[in-house]
Amino acid sequence: MSGGAILTINAGSSSIKFSIYTPGDEPAEQLRGEVEDIGDDDARLIIESGPGKGTDIGIGKADHTAALGAILHHAGDGLGGAPVAGVGHRIVHGGIEFTAPARLDEETVDRLEALEPLAPLHQPHNLAAVRAAHEAFPNAIQIACFDTAFHRTHPWVNDTFALPREWYERGVRRYGFHGLSYEYVSGEIARLAPELRHGRVVIAHLGNGASMCAVRDGRSIASTMGFTALDGLPMGTRCGQLDPGVLLYMMDHEKMSPAEITDLLYRKSGLKGLSGMTNDMRELEASDSPEAAQAIEYFVFRIRRELGALAAVLGGLDAFVFTGGIGEHSAHVRREVCKGMEWLGISIDETKNAENALELSTGATRVMVVKTDEERVIARAVNAALRA
Ligand code: ADP
């Protein structure tokens, strides 16, 4: 391989997902994998190098820097002996100013660090990986790709809260997240169904994190997520939309600290909190507990509610697209979401739904299942920077 490889990094508090690509007109994926349990004594490196081909290696106690070292050491085959020429990072928050991928020099990292209070559970880990990557790959270009950037095209009404105006100026806005997924899926819709390129499309990204986005002419005009990645749909462990009065009650009456409330809303709520069991949709679907069924019912109810709202924002609906782990694989959730939605032109073929087929619709509105690939969006940004 000449010219070096592209490494993409998606770092959380205890994991780093990564993939390796060869640059070219379109970057070519070589392998992908994950380091799990960073911070514990027995972190693991899992490498997928093809369908059914996987390696699981114990790497002992590892921080983000050691995890990157292990990736480089063990995943070196995917590099074919080439050095890492470019590293692309998923960065959850780009604030107001970052509307496109950015070169990660010292000044940019400082500016992104200033946004940490806006995404306290994600941004610090993203930036820890950036620092570790600068150490591990001092000669590589480092590029940041933002989950907020795709949504900076929102009109003002979908960007603001009805607070005194100075809060908007101070950055208290509806940023929206999952932007890399929406960018990829929008691109796929334009490729697979060019007639939808200028259409009114709602994309539902349903994974552990979940949100929905209204897209017109390939641009985001509204999202269910707001100032933080808590708003909108209920998620694996996050609550989704909540009356802010609940927070006041928890603070004033229950005397809960900000840290306790943060833990409750981010880690103990959503599907896990409602079911009292798990955040894993597969386990909930397999369970016969009434609480598990209710957790799914609430998840489905909020998706349907937001679908109606986003269709109204778009002035109609040409396509409704499912993505993310649940969106791509749960025939049950898709069936329940689409039930009785004929008024929006939505009806689906049950056999195709059971097969997770690309096209499900039997009505006027297209209903599609598109597998997301956030890593590829990052790899494309690094590829473009390497070729510039
Ligand atoms: P993340 O947001 O962490 O990337 P994913 O997009 O991988 O998460 O989605 C994880 C969710 O997808 C989990 O709730 C998991 O149970 C669910 N999921 C994966 N496969 C299936 C399936 N076959 N049926 C139902 N749910 C599934």
Side-chain angles (χ1 to χ4, degrees):
M1 187 194 306
S2 64
I6 296 169
L7 174 67
T8 73
I9 293 178
N10 177 358
S13 56
S14 63
S15 73
I16 296 181
K17 289 185 185 151
F18 66 92
S19 55
I20 294 173
Y21 289 79
T22 317
D25 290 336
E26 171 70 21
E29 184 180 319
Q30 304 301 314
L31 57 81
R32 59 175 66 199
E34 183 166 5
V35 180
E36 293 177 350
D37 302 324
I38 292 175
D40 289 356
D41 288 337
D42 47 2
R44 309 201 65 74
L45 168 66
I46 293 147
I47 301 171
E48 292 168 33
S49 46
K53 280 198 280 172
T55 323
D56 185 337
I57 306 161
I59 58 169
K61 192 171 174 58
D63 59 9
H64 283 84
T65 307
L68 282 183
I71 292 170
L72 189 61
H73 184 68
H74 292 286
D77 285 354
L79 297 170
V84 172
V87 185
H89 297 266
R90 179 181 184 177
I91 305 288
V92 71
H93 220 302
I96 302 165
E97 57 180 318
F98 291 100
T99 56
R103 194 76 181 256
L104 278 162
D105 52 25
E106 226 165 276
E107 193 209 324
T108 308
V109 176
D110 286 347
R111 274 151 65 192
L112 294 174
E113 216 164 41
L115 297 171
E116 282 187 358
L118 301 187
L121 298 191
H122 295 100
Q123 194 89 338
H125 305 298
N126 299 162
L127 296 179
V130 170
R131 282 186 213 96
H134 269 119
E135 256 176 59
F137 314 107
N139 300 319
I141 293 180
Q142 310 259 349
I143 303 287
C145 297
F146 302 99
D147 264 321
T148 47
F150 187 69
H151 300 293
R152 296 316 298 144
T153 48
H154 284 183
W156 178 78
V157 283
N158 282 331
D159 197 34
T160 194
F161 298 101
L163 292 168
R165 291 197 83 100
E166 65 261 29
W167 289 95
Y168 183 76
E169 302 312 325
R170 287 163 67 178
V172 178
R173 302 186 184 198
R174 290 186 202 275
Y175 290 100
F177 298 89
H178 290 135
L180 300 177
S181 177
Y182 292 130
E183 183 178 335
Y184 179 80
V185 172
S186 299
E188 283 298 280
I189 295 168
R191 187 176 71 81
L192 297 163
E195 63 282 10
L196 290 173
R197 219 171 265 245
H198 301 290
R200 299 159 298 179
V201 179
V202 170
I203 305 171
H205 177 106
L206 311 176
N208 251 321
S211 71
M212 291 165 71
C213 181
V215 176
R216 184 166 212 159
D217 295 326
R219 287 150 62 104
S220 169
I221 62 167
S223 157
T224 59
M225 272 190 177
F227 178 58
T228 65
L230 266 187
D231 202 3
L233 302 178
M235 305 172 218
T237 61
R238 286 174 252 165
C239 58
Q241 192 273 328
L242 191 71
D243 174 353
V246 174
L247 302 185
L248 299 175
Y249 175 80
M250 287 174 173
M251 286 188 295
D252 281 348
H253 193 264
E254 298 293 322
K255 305 292 176 219
M256 286 173 72
S257 69
E260 285 170 327
I261 297 177
T262 300
D263 191 43
L264 182 78
L265 302 186
Y266 277 93
R267 298 193 186 93
K268 296 189 173 145
S269 299
L271 295 173
K272 187 173 184 186
L274 282 176
S275 67
M277 279 172 60
T278 174
N279 57 320
D280 191 314
M281 183 57 83
R282 278 166 297 199
E283 287 179 35
L284 292 174
E285 287 184 5
S287 164
D288 49 17
S289 119
E291 289 80 10
Q294 276 192 328
I296 300 175
E297 195 187 336
Y298 182 76
F299 185 65
V300 166
F301 166 72
R302 295 301 308 207
I303 296 167
R304 290 164 60 86
R305 207 178 121 139
E306 295 293 344
L307 177 60
L310 293 174
V313 167
L314 287 166
L317 191 64
D318 299 306
F320 179 36
V321 182
F322 289 96
T323 193
I326 299 171
E328 290 163 26
H329 300 110
S330 174
H332 175 71
V333 167
R334 289 191 304 256
R335 183 191 321 111
E336 293 301 307
V337 167
C338 294
K339 207 179 255 177
M341 281 279 179
E342 288 80 8
W343 63 277
L344 256 183
I346 291 176
S347 61
I348 62 172
D349 179 305
E350 234 345 288
T351 311
K352 288 187 180 155
N353 187 40
E355 291 165 353
N356 303 321
L358 171 67
E359 298 267 3
L360 308 183
S361 27
T362 55
T365 299
R366 298 280 281 276
V367 182
M368 301 170 76
V369 179
V370 175
K371 183 172 164 35
T372 196
D373 191 350
E374 290 148 316
E375 276 67 30
R376 181 162 289 279
V377 176
I378 301 171
R380 283 176 182 160
V382 179
N383 194 51
L386 287 174
R387 289 157 75 90

